[in-house]
């Protein structure tokens, strides 16, 4: 019989020792949540330390990521490839034990947490992915997708607004296999939370369709165990288990204080804590019997072996489904993808539709969603504006019993009405991508990328394939005015490391942008799309090389294309809706015998990855460059521009054509700016 | 006796006509909320159309700003300087009737709304400001601050996570004079909200300490009137009034549909609606008796006259307080401010403390908060890290009865524990600034500026003096790792138009940054501050010109200062923690007889506002420039840099000194980069 108390104390000791050794970190949360961890990890979590990628494992998220030592201790103790030496290297360069848990760095870490509230929201995405995959792949007598998502969280996560979005969505989606354990210790960094946190949390969760259990004594592993069992026994709602705990539990002088939160206990207090806990072992020493109690290797291997057997039977009965499931979970695109993409681009080019690029995106999506069942779309209550839905993506709905509703022909929903919850949508998409089985994409207006910005950053940091459809990308949206007109957003998204940003100019470029986004396995993509119609570039630049679009920038039109047999004396660089303007200015200048090259640069981020040779071929040295984009000018100077036509103030409320003139986005102004640059040279 | 129905129909007609004329806008919300508006504006709101700036007016916020025509109709009908011609010019360039309500553009508009959830949060800030001013200025028998804050909001606002932060804070602060009217129409842009919005909203608000009334029939002005009266009659809690309404009420075919939300009704449906409403008047025609029913000029003038009388009595009894109240509400700094600022800068310079710039900020704040009672600080649960509190700013607390608690010497709280609510904090601060009487500032880690980004943008768009204290501004925070290390944030904040961004290098620069921020009446400021200690620059550059710091960039050290009597061959530009590095590299290069100038550029945004002459004096042409900043390089190329030492990837979890070396932030690397640039030249 396992000794729960000593199991918990092992976590406490490892946490305080590692934080002390690093002289940095948060001991209070791991010490407070240790008994909850015994109940969850010791008695319920279905996982295999030897295969952290087993498809049907339970997912665990530590939403209060500053308590990372809890997770590292658990991974170490249960048998993951995280030796004690890594715990001794807590928070050191290139260790597997970073300050906050980082997915991809540490085996068994499911998501990167730290920015509060997002872990919970990722967990909602994971639980949704499980529910959808189960509905899609499980067959009568063959259950191959059947796991829980557990999340631990603290007061901080619950204060963050995103927690409301997550809680509301989990309730609406009836995610009954989502279990959240709330570390209710009444302390945040500023102290006892009473003056600034009066929420009745159980009532709040009930108001959003959750099942609430407790408060239970969070230091009574048996009580927490029973609560988890109760949560697992129902299939109606997501569950919140309120666990009353003491932060820094075990420390005689720091427990129940905010001092336990974010600093080492110090040698003296650690000694006192060891004595109080009856834990006489040296730092980083864990007795063999406690290791044995924690060891989950055998149970995990057995659980996975059973599942393997089930999956083998499934494969025998449904070979195609089994292969598809494996492909989807591996994140591989279908074999036909390259051809599908080429066909879609050629069709867009051939048809030459003059449409808004948001419509071009929907046209591309029609092609891709028809062939890629893993595409899981959505919008933050702007479906008809973002145009994220297609004929292949019925709206996701739950039936009266809370199960995933199916269409008449047996399809599950593949387009999510996220409601007006941009940040929640983005963090849910991160959770879906992390779970595997889907490529999530979701839409809102570009200006509201501000709301979801940190979740976009987290996708980039976590190298997740999440696609953001940001429409209404400039003053071109017109009358809605400055609150809705993106001025700094394109430039500002381009600053996020490992985020691909595309602002395509017509249907062909938009289709290429989608195909690159889908191929970007290790990064998220933001597609910035116009509200207004954009003339198809083939009309103005019939000879362009479609094959180079994916490189992010390419020579769209040379002087010869407008009847001048001279080398270009200037290069106009433009993106998105401004490319047509550049081409028209090129013609104006051609009429004055001034030869100009037009470069379309739908993706600065993709272009920046190209080699120097290609870059020089597109942007030759010694020829002045003039950039044109309806947004702040700041980012363009790195391309050595002589002039940038942009907007460094806020927009205005007026019809788009009026605004274009007001802000100088006319072919005449572009041509005049080129002339002025040539004169200065 | 006023005809409530026709009063409401006037709003409906003006809304549908204006949207139709603009061929753009949202008729559904104004038509649905018209009866609520009759109850509130017709029977409760205390305001004077002839003086929209009267200090003690009730504040009204339309949080669902897309329903702007409701507000414009009300302002027009009640007698503000908004003639019918402006309504006919709805959504046209330079009209006073922008697509969404914009403060400063339209008389009577209290805040700019559109980005959902923020209007409600602004209202919380306004109500808090009222409560604090009342506690500070009202005297026995002399009530000069006593007004309500009303906010109308829709489903969208309630789905946004920030609404949770706002609701929780309003509950914790017991803002009993805040009354929110919820337009509960069950429709959002994507349709009937049931599948994605299952919240029990009354229960949710009750869970956060609100008084909830209703649901009442939102089309029964008497019922709404009574509910408002009930809300006003209590003084315990903020109130939510749930008003059941029909979006697009009056339109036979569009009411209760999402089609009513965001597009004109069309000529045919407008005709049908006119008939259904029994409103036979021409577009933009309002009968005189309806105008008369709405006219609030006389009542408003009388209300203000009464208040003027009260204030005169107050002035007679408390002349100093009265003068101070007027100064505070006018937003004027105290007369001694310039001297206070100079003294603080000189003291910082003289003392020469080597401290973190977050500590330098606290030292500056000690001086400013002691002399500027309008400074109202706070932190999103990181007080001890952001160092936003001072001896003069006791923590804001409410007493058992919900009133503002006072310290033993009668002071009210001036430092707010916002809890872990960054976005909420920022939008509350916007509301406080908009209300007047305070200069709000609040702290969090720079990386979490992502969470509050759109509220920062809104402050800039609204030209509000709000100061953000963003500490832990780079990889210099060390072990917390990439989730907490700002890489793109300095660059990205600099892109927001009308936001001043400062990244000071020592106590002197930090104090100047604060003084500029306080003087910036028409813009918000972000102060980016280090976690780690920064050597005081006087030690390395004793001759620097303190007077030029406020210009955003200045010559900190010339070759002569390090013993070289030559003209500089290169300029190193650095900000914040990297300035000391630049000075050390200058010395390394001096040892090799290479003369280098060091420019400290604490604020690119302030420097960008300088004239060409000053810019050239600081950055002479023909001399290569090398920028050094621990963040993305993109923004530096506009200063014509030959090289930029920065970080274009994510950070790492490790002690700061290890990271500086890892990412090349050493004096040797800076010197080597200068040498390489000189060689290339």
């Amino acid at each position: 019989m396992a000794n729960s108390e000593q199991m918990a104390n092992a976590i406490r000791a490892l946490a305080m020792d590692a934080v002390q050794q690093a002289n940095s970190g948060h001991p209070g949360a791991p010490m407070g949540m240790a008994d909850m961890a015994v109940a969850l990890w010791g008695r319920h979590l279905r996982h295999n330390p030897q295969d952290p990628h087993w498809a049907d494992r339970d997912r665990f998220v530590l939403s209060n990521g500053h308590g990372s030592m809890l997770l590292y201790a658990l991974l170490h103790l249960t048998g993951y490839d995280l030796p004690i030496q890594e715990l001794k290297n807590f928070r050191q360069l290139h260790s597997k034990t970073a300050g906050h848990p980082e997915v991809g760095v540490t085996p068994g870490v499911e998501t990167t947490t730290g920015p509060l509230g997002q872990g919970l929201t990722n967990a909602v995405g994971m639980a949704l992915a499980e529910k959808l995959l189960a509905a899609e792949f499980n067959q009568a007598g063959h259950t191959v997708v059947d796991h829980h998502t557990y999340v631990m969280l603290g007061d901080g996560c619950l204060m963050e607004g995103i927690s409301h979005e997550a809680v509301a969505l989990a309730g609406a989606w009836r995610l009954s296999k989502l279990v959240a354990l709330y570390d209710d210790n009444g302390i945040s960094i500023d102290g006892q939370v009473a003056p600034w946190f009066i929420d009745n949390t159980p009532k709040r969760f009930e108001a959003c369709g959750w099942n609430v259990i407790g408060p239970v004594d969070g230091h009574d592993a048996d009580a927490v165990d029973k609560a988890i069992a109760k949560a697992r026994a129902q299939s109606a709602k997501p569950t919140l288990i309120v666990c009353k705990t003491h932060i820094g539990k075990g420390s005689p002088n720091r427990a129940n204080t905010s001092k336990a939160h974010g600093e080492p206990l110090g040698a003296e207090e650690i000694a006192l804590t060891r004595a109080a806990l009856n834990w006489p072992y040296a730092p980083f020493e864990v007795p063999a019997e406690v290791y044995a109690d924690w060891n989950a290797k055998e149970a995990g291997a057995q659980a996975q072996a059973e599942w393997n057997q089930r999956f083998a039977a499934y494969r025998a009965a449904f070979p195609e489904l089994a292969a598809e499931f494996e492909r989807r979970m591996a994140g591989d695109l279908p074999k036909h993808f390259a051809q599908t993409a080429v066909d879609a681009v050629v069709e867009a080019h051939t048809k030459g539709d003059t449409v808004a690029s948001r419509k071009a995106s929907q046209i591309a999506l029609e092609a891709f969603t028809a062939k890629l069942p893993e595409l899981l779309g959505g919008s933050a209550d702007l479906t008809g504006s973002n145009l994220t839905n297609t004929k292949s993506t019925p709206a996701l709905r739950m039936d009266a019993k809370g199960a995933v509703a199916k269409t008449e022909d047996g399809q599950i929903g593949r387009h999510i009405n996220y409601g007006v919850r941009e940040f929640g949508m983005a963090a849910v998409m991160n959770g879906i991508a992390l779970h595997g089985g889907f490529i999530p994409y979701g839409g809102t207006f570009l200006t509201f990328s501000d709301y979801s910005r940190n979740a976009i950053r987290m996708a980039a940091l976590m190298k997740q394939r999440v696609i953001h459809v940001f429409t209404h990308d400039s003053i071109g949206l017109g009358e809605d005015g400055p609150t809705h007109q993106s001025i700094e957003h394109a430039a500002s998204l381009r600053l996020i490391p490992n985020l691909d940003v595309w602002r395509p100019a017509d249907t062909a470029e938009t289709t290429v942008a989608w195909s690159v986004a889908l191929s970007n396995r290790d990064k998220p993509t933001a597609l910035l799309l116009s509200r207004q119609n954009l003339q198809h570039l083939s009309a103005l630049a019939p000879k362009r090389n479609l094959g180079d679009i994916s490189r992010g920038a390419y020579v769209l039109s040379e002087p010869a294309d407008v009847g001048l047999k001279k080398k270009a004396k200037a290069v106009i660089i433009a993106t998105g809706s401004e490319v047509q303007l550049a081409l028209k200015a090129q013609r104006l200048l051609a009429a004055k015998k001034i030869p100009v090259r037009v470069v379309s640069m739908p993706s600065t981020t993709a272009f920046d990855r190209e080699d120097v040779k290609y870059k020089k071929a597109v942007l030759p040295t010694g020829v002045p460059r003039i950039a044109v984009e309806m947004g702040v000018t700041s980012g363009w100077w790195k391309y050595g521009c002589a002039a940038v036509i942009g907007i460094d103030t806020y927009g205005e409320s007026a019809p788009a054509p009026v605004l274009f003139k007001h802000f100088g986005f006319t072919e005449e102004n572009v041509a005049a700016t080129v002339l002025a640059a040539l004169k200065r040279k």
Side-chain angles (χ1 to χ4, degrees), chain A:
Chain A
M1 177 72 192
N3 182 334
S4 297
E5 205 175 310
Q6 288 298 74
M7 287 171 78
N9 286 339
I11 293 173
R12 294 191 173 99
L14 288 172
M16 68 182 184
D17 289 341
V19 171
Q20 185 67 23
Q21 172 128 337
N23 195 27
S24 165
H26 302 256
M31 295 175 77
M33 296 194 289
D35 304 296
M36 293 157 62
V38 169
L40 177 59
W41 281 66
R43 308 189 194 171
H44 289 280
L45 196 74
R46 207 160 124 270
H47 63 128
N48 182 4
Q50 285 146 304
D51 183 2
H53 298 290
W54 170 30
D56 202 38
R57 70 193 181 278
D58 286 343
R59 304 303 197 268
F60 173 79
V61 173
L62 184 74
S63 191
N64 44 357
H66 53 269
S68 55
M69 267 310 303
L70 176 80
L71 185 47
Y72 298 144
L74 287 166
L75 293 170
H76 168 71
L77 291 166
T78 56
Y80 283 78
D81 180 18
L82 194 69
I84 195 78
Q85 190 51 45
E86 290 290 345
L87 274 63
K88 290 181 185 168
N89 270 333
F90 182 50
R91 295 188 154 221
Q92 303 309 304
L93 192 63
H94 300 150
S95 76
K96 286 186 185 173
T97 49
H100 291 79
E102 294 184 38
V103 67
V105 169
T106 317
V109 169
E110 301 280 4
T111 179
T112 301
T113 50
L116 294 177
Q118 289 189 66
L120 167 64
T121 318
N122 297 161
V124 170
M126 292 174 186
L128 177 67
E130 193 269 351
K131 184 167 182 166
L132 292 177
L133 285 173
E136 186 176 352
F137 285 97
N138 288 347
Q139 300 294 327
H142 292 272
T143 302
V144 292
V145 182
D146 182 15
H147 54 269
H148 280 77
T149 302
Y150 297 100
V151 53
M152 285 190 182
L153 51 90
D155 301 295
C157 290
L158 293 178
M159 288 188 236
E160 290 286 2
I162 190 175
S163 70
H164 172 58
E165 303 182 16
V167 169
L169 287 172
W173 295 334
R174 310 274 295 266
L175 299 178
S176 59
K177 285 156 96 175
L178 174 66
V179 181
L181 291 99
Y182 167 29
D183 176 35
D184 183 10
N185 60 32
I187 299 280
S188 65
I189 290 178
D190 275 2
Q192 295 198 358
V193 297
W196 56 86
F197 184 49
I198 65 157
D199 299 11
N200 180 332
T201 296
K203 193 168 175 178
R204 173 192 162 200
F205 274 67
E206 282 165 5
C208 291
W210 284 56
N211 174 37
V212 178
I213 301 176
V216 303
D217 177 356
H219 296 301
D220 179 346
D222 294 338
V224 179
D225 170 11
K226 275 181 202 149
I228 298 171
K230 208 167 144 191
R232 291 179 56 184
Q234 58 83 47
S235 59
K237 297 174 175 183
T239 296
L240 177 78
I241 302 173
V242 180
C243 303
K244 285 276 179 198
T245 62
H246 303 288
I247 192 170
K249 164 91 175 173
S251 160
N253 298 302
R254 294 282 180 96
N256 286 326
T257 72
S258 58
K259 264 191 98 63
H261 195 292
E263 51 183 284
L265 297 183
E268 197 178 331
E269 184 67 14
I270 285 180
L272 292 173
T273 307
R274 284 200 138 73
L277 292 175
N278 194 16
W279 186 265
Y281 314 105
F284 300 103
E285 185 193 335
V286 176
E289 64 271 23
V290 177
Y291 268 123
D293 284 348
W294 269 118
N295 195 317
K297 284 181 169 178
E298 200 179 321
Q302 196 182 326
Q304 186 168 354
E306 282 165 14
W307 182 83
N308 286 343
Q309 222 167 349
R310 282 210 303 286
F311 196 78
Y314 180 76
R315 191 196 310 277
F318 308 99
E320 281 177 23
L321 273 179
E324 182 68 357
F325 179 78
E326 289 183 317
R327 178 188 75 75
R328 294 265 295 270
M329 289 303 293
D332 296 329
L333 292 170
K335 285 207 183 93
H336 62 68
F337 175 74
Q339 192 57 49
T340 301
V342 168
D343 291 350
V345 173
V346 169
E347 189 175 342
H349 178 67
T350 312
K351 279 200 174 168
D353 286 337
T354 284
V355 292
S357 52
R358 60 179 172 144
K359 181 69 191 169
S361 165
Q362 192 180 40
I363 295 169
L365 273 173
E366 284 291 357
F368 288 120
T369 56
K371 297 284 187 72
L372 276 72
E374 57 264 53
L375 274 170
L376 180 59
S379 167
D381 202 46
L382 290 167
T383 302
S385 295
N386 302 143
L387 302 177
T388 40
N389 57 346
T390 70
K391 292 190 192 79
S392 308
T393 61
L396 175 68
R397 293 289 179 264
M398 301 304 155
D399 67 20
K401 288 184 181 166
V404 178
K406 295 201 175 179
T407 59
E408 281 180 19
D409 59 342
Q411 276 193 80
I412 64 161
R414 284 175 56 200
H415 188 273
I416 301 174
N417 299 99
Y418 283 99
V420 191
R421 304 179 180 102
E422 299 82 6
F423 194 9
M425 174 173 74
V428 163
M429 290 202 292
N430 291 351
I432 292 170
L434 285 159
H435 181 281
F438 293 103
I439 300 175
Y441 68 90
T444 186
F445 291 157
L446 177 54
T447 194
F448 300 131
S449 63
D450 280 354
Y451 278 52
S452 47
R453 187 170 174 90
N454 200 261
I456 301 169
R457 180 181 211 254
M458 291 301 291
L461 175 60
M462 296 192 286
K463 302 180 181 166
Q464 295 302 303
R465 179 166 46 185
V466 172
I467 302 171
H468 290 272
V469 178
F470 291 130
T471 68
H472 296 58
D473 72 341
S474 71
I475 56 166
L477 62 85
E479 293 89 344
D480 273 339
T483 53
H484 285 54
Q485 287 164 359
S486 306
I487 293 295
E488 71 277 24
H489 300 79
S492 140
L493 288 170
R494 290 175 186 137
L495 299 178
I496 298 178
N498 199 42
L499 172 68
D500 231 12
V501 180
W502 285 79
R503 188 168 184 261
D506 70 355
T507 57
E509 285 191 9
T510 305
T511 312
V512 171
W514 263 108
S515 75
V516 175
L518 292 167
S519 311
N520 273 342
R521 280 188 76 128
D522 59 354
K523 56 169 68 74
T525 300
L527 303 172
L528 318 189
L529 305 169
S530 76
R531 172 180 188 260
Q532 75 275 22
N533 279 353
L534 306 182
Q535 188 168 7
H536 200 276
L537 300 183
S538 303
L540 297 159
K543 292 187 203 158
R544 72 167 154 169
N545 181 355
L546 293 174
D548 283 339
I549 297 175
S550 62
R551 307 179 83 157
Y554 62 102
V555 178
L556 175 62
S557 180
E558 289 282 33
D561 298 326
V562 287
L564 282 186
K565 287 186 180 154
K566 294 192 215 169
K567 240 178 119 177
K569 282 189 177 167
V571 176
I572 307 178
I573 308 170
T575 81
S577 46
E578 286 68 81
V579 176
Q580 42 180 328
L581 208 56
L583 290 168
K584 286 172 189 162
Q586 180 197 33
R587 284 165 193 234
L588 280 185
L589 291 161
K592 298 188 179 184
K593 306 291 173 208
I594 296 163
V596 167
R597 166 186 287 188
V598 173
V599 166
S600 179
M601 195 181 285
S603 177
T604 62
T605 51
F607 182 62
D608 290 350
R609 290 195 295 271
E610 286 293 323
D611 56 41
V612 174
K613 197 179 150 197
Y614 183 73
K615 285 179 181 171
K616 278 202 175 158
V618 174
L619 301 176
T621 44
V623 182
R625 302 158 189 176
I626 294 91
V628 192
E629 186 176 62
M630 290 180 191
V632 290
T633 54
S634 168
W636 286 105
W637 303 105
K638 75 171 171 172
Y639 298 105
C641 290
V644 182
I645 303 173
I647 308 177
D648 285 315
T649 63
Y650 289 103
E652 298 275 356
S653 171
V658 175
L659 293 176
F660 295 153
K661 213 172 158 187
H662 178 74
F663 285 104
F665 289 91
T666 61
E667 51 201 271
E668 292 78 12
N669 187 40
V670 176
T673 307
V674 172
L675 285 175
L678 285 172
K679 214 177 242 175
R680 275 203 307 279
K681 200 193 161 191

Short mmCIF file of all heavy atoms in Angstrom, two decimals, chain A residues 295-310:
data_model
loop_
_atom_site.label_atom_id
_atom_site.label_comp_id
_atom_site.label_asym_id
_atom_site.label_seq_id
_atom_site.Cartn_x
_atom_site.Cartn_y
_atom_site.Cartn_z
N ASN A 295 6.33 4.96 -9.05
CA ASN A 295 6.67 4.43 -10.38
C ASN A 295 5.43 4.02 -11.19
O ASN A 295 4.64 3.20 -10.75
CB ASN A 295 7.62 3.24 -10.22
CG ASN A 295 8.27 2.89 -11.54
OD1 ASN A 295 7.63 2.87 -12.58
ND2 ASN A 295 9.58 2.65 -11.50
N ALA A 296 5.29 4.61 -12.34
CA ALA A 296 4.10 4.35 -13.17
C ALA A 296 4.46 3.64 -14.46
O ALA A 296 3.64 3.49 -15.36
CB ALA A 296 3.40 5.67 -13.49
N LYS A 297 5.70 3.15 -14.51
CA LYS A 297 6.14 2.56 -15.78
C LYS A 297 5.37 1.29 -16.12
O LYS A 297 4.90 1.11 -17.24
CB LYS A 297 7.63 2.23 -15.71
CG LYS A 297 8.54 3.45 -15.82
CD LYS A 297 9.98 2.96 -15.75
CE LYS A 297 10.97 4.03 -16.12
NZ LYS A 297 12.35 3.53 -15.99
N GLU A 298 5.24 0.43 -15.12
CA GLU A 298 4.61 -0.85 -15.41
C GLU A 298 3.13 -0.66 -15.73
O GLU A 298 2.63 -1.16 -16.75
CB GLU A 298 4.75 -1.76 -14.18
CG GLU A 298 4.57 -3.22 -14.52
CD GLU A 298 4.73 -4.09 -13.28
OE1 GLU A 298 5.63 -3.76 -12.46
OE2 GLU A 298 3.97 -5.04 -13.10
N ALA A 299 2.46 0.08 -14.86
CA ALA A 299 1.03 0.31 -15.10
C ALA A 299 0.82 1.01 -16.43
O ALA A 299 -0.12 0.70 -17.17
CB ALA A 299 0.46 1.15 -13.96
N GLY A 300 1.71 1.94 -16.73
CA GLY A 300 1.58 2.68 -17.98
C GLY A 300 1.79 1.79 -19.18
O GLY A 300 1.05 1.84 -20.17
N ALA A 301 2.82 0.95 -19.09
CA ALA A 301 3.10 0.05 -20.21
C ALA A 301 1.93 -0.90 -20.43
O ALA A 301 1.54 -1.20 -21.56
CB ALA A 301 4.38 -0.75 -19.92
N GLN A 302 1.34 -1.33 -19.32
CA GLN A 302 0.21 -2.25 -19.43
C GLN A 302 -1.00 -1.55 -20.05
O GLN A 302 -1.67 -2.10 -20.94
CB GLN A 302 -0.15 -2.77 -18.04
CG GLN A 302 -1.04 -3.99 -18.08
CD GLN A 302 -1.41 -4.45 -16.67
OE1 GLN A 302 -0.60 -4.32 -15.75
NE2 GLN A 302 -2.61 -4.96 -16.51
N ALA A 303 -1.25 -0.34 -19.61
CA ALA A 303 -2.39 0.41 -20.15
C ALA A 303 -2.22 0.61 -21.65
O ALA A 303 -3.15 0.42 -22.44
CB ALA A 303 -2.51 1.75 -19.44
N GLN A 304 -1.00 0.96 -22.02
CA GLN A 304 -0.78 1.20 -23.44
C GLN A 304 -0.86 -0.11 -24.23
O GLN A 304 -1.38 -0.14 -25.35
CB GLN A 304 0.56 1.89 -23.69
CG GLN A 304 0.75 2.29 -25.16
CD GLN A 304 1.91 3.23 -25.40
OE1 GLN A 304 2.54 3.70 -24.46
NE2 GLN A 304 2.18 3.53 -26.66
N ALA A 305 -0.37 -1.20 -23.63
CA ALA A 305 -0.44 -2.51 -24.30
C ALA A 305 -1.89 -2.90 -24.55
O ALA A 305 -2.24 -3.40 -25.62
CB ALA A 305 0.28 -3.57 -23.46
N GLU A 306 -2.72 -2.66 -23.56
CA GLU A 306 -4.15 -2.96 -23.74
C GLU A 306 -4.74 -2.14 -24.88
O GLU A 306 -5.51 -2.62 -25.69
CB GLU A 306 -4.93 -2.66 -22.44
CG GLU A 306 -4.76 -3.74 -21.38
CD GLU A 306 -5.22 -3.26 -20.00
OE1 GLU A 306 -5.91 -2.21 -19.93
OE2 GLU A 306 -4.88 -3.93 -19.01
N TRP A 307 -4.35 -0.88 -24.88
CA TRP A 307 -4.86 -0.01 -25.95
C TRP A 307 -4.33 -0.48 -27.31
O TRP A 307 -5.07 -0.52 -28.29
CB TRP A 307 -4.44 1.43 -25.69
CG TRP A 307 -4.99 2.38 -26.74
CD1 TRP A 307 -6.23 2.94 -26.77
CD2 TRP A 307 -4.31 2.84 -27.92
NE1 TRP A 307 -6.37 3.72 -27.89
CE2 TRP A 307 -5.21 3.69 -28.62
CE3 TRP A 307 -3.04 2.61 -28.45
CZ2 TRP A 307 -4.87 4.31 -29.82
CZ3 TRP A 307 -2.70 3.24 -29.65
CH2 TRP A 307 -3.61 4.08 -30.32
N ASN A 308 -3.06 -0.89 -27.32
CA ASN A 308 -2.49 -1.37 -28.59
C ASN A 308 -3.29 -2.54 -29.13
O ASN A 308 -3.54 -2.64 -30.33
CB ASN A 308 -1.02 -1.79 -28.40
CG ASN A 308 -0.10 -0.59 -28.23
OD1 ASN A 308 -0.47 0.54 -28.57
ND2 ASN A 308 1.09 -0.84 -27.69
N GLN A 309 -3.70 -3.37 -28.19
CA GLN A 309 -4.49 -4.54 -28.58
C GLN A 309 -5.83 -4.08 -29.16
O GLN A 309 -6.27 -4.58 -30.21
CB GLN A 309 -4.76 -5.38 -27.33
CG GLN A 309 -4.62 -6.86 -27.56
CD GLN A 309 -4.58 -7.62 -26.23
OE1 GLN A 309 -4.46 -7.01 -25.15
NE2 GLN A 309 -4.70 -8.93 -26.29
N ARG A 310 -6.44 -3.14 -28.48
CA ARG A 310 -7.73 -2.61 -28.96
C ARG A 310 -7.55 -1.97 -30.34
O ARG A 310 -8.37 -2.13 -31.23
CB ARG A 310 -8.26 -1.54 -28.00
CG ARG A 310 -8.91 -2.09 -26.76
CD ARG A 310 -10.02 -1.18 -26.22
NE ARG A 310 -9.61 0.19 -25.93
CZ ARG A 310 -8.88 0.56 -24.88
NH1 ARG A 310 -8.46 -0.36 -24.01
NH2 ARG A 310 -8.56 1.83 -24.71
#
